[in-house]
């Protein structure tokens, strides 16, 4: 895989693992409340979804790492396929976020554009 694809994949993995960790473990913090615009009084009602969503993001991020490891140490084509499938999945989820909650367009853009860049670079 080319260097651009590797760097973008690492950025995507770090972003997903970082955001997922904040969702799963840091929902009670001001950082979470600022990042996601959630008021403290709503956190208890959202906790189950936040933890679940956080772990989804962490697992996706680890999947990107696994794709890099597979591409670098085993089968480059298989690693690339893992990365492209995960990236396209993230892009679809970004579009779904935009369609269902248009006011979250910034988050939806990040969730769509970066993964599309990862998939595009990986397919070069």
């Amino acid at each position: 895989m080319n260097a651009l694809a590797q760097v973008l994949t690492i950025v995507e993995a770090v972003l997903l693992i970082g955001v997922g960790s904040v969702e799963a473990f840091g929902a009670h913090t001001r950082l979470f409340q600022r990042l996601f615009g959630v008021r403290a009084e709503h956190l208890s009602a959202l906790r189950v979804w936040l933890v679940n969503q956080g772990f989804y993001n962490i697992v996706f991020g680890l999947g990107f790492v696994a794709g890099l490891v597979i591409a670098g140490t085993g089968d480059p084509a298989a690693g690339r396929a893992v990365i492209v499938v995960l990236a396209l999945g993230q892009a679809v989820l970004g579009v779904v976020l935009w369609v269902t909650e248009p006011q979250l367009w910034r988050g939806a853009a990040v969730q769509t554009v970066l993964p599309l860049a990862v998939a595009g670079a990986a397919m070069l």
Side-chain angles (χ1 to χ4, degrees):
M1 237 171 41
N2 64 64
L4 177 61
Q6 292 175 17
V7 169
L8 290 174
T9 300
I10 291 168
V11 170
E12 179 70 5
V14 168
L15 184 64
L16 285 168
I17 293 168
V19 168
S21 296
V22 171
E23 290 169 332
F25 305 112
H28 60 283
T29 66
R30 288 201 185 275
L31 171 64
F32 174 85
Q33 293 168 26
R34 278 195 320 262
L35 280 174
F36 297 101
V38 175
R39 289 187 278 180
E41 61 267 19
H42 296 143
L43 290 176
S44 63
L46 296 174
R47 187 175 188 292
V48 171
W49 291 282
L50 291 172
V51 171
N52 195 347
Q53 180 64 36
F55 275 92
Y56 268 97
N57 283 329
I58 292 167
V59 169
F60 261 86
L62 293 173
F64 279 105
V65 172
L68 283 171
V69 170
I70 293 166
T73 62
D75 184 346
R80 185 179 307 112
V82 167
I83 290 167
V84 169
V85 167
L86 290 172
L88 294 177
Q90 282 293 307
V92 167
L93 293 172
V95 171
V96 169
L97 178 60
W98 176 67
V99 168
T100 57
E101 292 293 333
Q103 70 271 17
L104 299 177
W105 66 270
R106 285 183 187 100
V110 170
Q111 191 172 347
T112 304
V113 173
L114 179 57
L116 287 176
V118 169
M123 291 190 288
L124 289 176

